[in-house]
Amino acid sequence: MNQTTTVLTEIVAFLLGRKYYANIIHTRGTNKCEVSSFIFKSKQEANDHRNALESNLSYKFVETVSFRSRHDYSKLTTYSK
């Protein structure tokens, strides 16, 4: 996903950080919930990961959380279908 940035979006990213998403998952058979190891740049990417978890017998989707960070995670490889 290529995003064009403007001066205003870069200023907001510097002041508040960029917005990212992460999924919280439940390990089936335990009482353990944790953040998945993937960081998503868009809500749609997080939803795609959630849909893939529906057929997984080891993990159950709990919720998607959003957070802001001044670190740029866009260059990291993330979950792909």
Side-chain angles (χ1 to χ4, degrees), residues 21-55:
Y21 299 89
N23 286 334
I24 297 177
I25 55 176
H26 172 258
T27 305
R28 294 181 192 245
T30 68
N31 60 354
K32 194 165 132 180
C33 287
E34 55 199 359
V35 176
S36 74
S37 60
F38 300 110
I39 296 174
F40 303 101
K41 295 178 272 185
S42 71
K43 181 84 170 176
Q44 181 58 43
E45 291 176 356
N47 287 339
D48 291 343
H49 181 247
R50 179 190 70 202
N51 293 337
L53 287 173
E54 287 179 5
S55 63

Side-chain angles (χ1 to χ4, degrees), residues 61-79:
F61 171 78
V62 177
E63 72 174 319
T64 299
V65 294
S66 63
F67 65 96
R68 292 193 172 270
S69 176
R70 289 192 176 131
H71 295 285
D72 186 8
Y73 294 110
S74 64
K75 293 173 183 48
L76 298 177
T77 56
T78 60
Y79 171 79

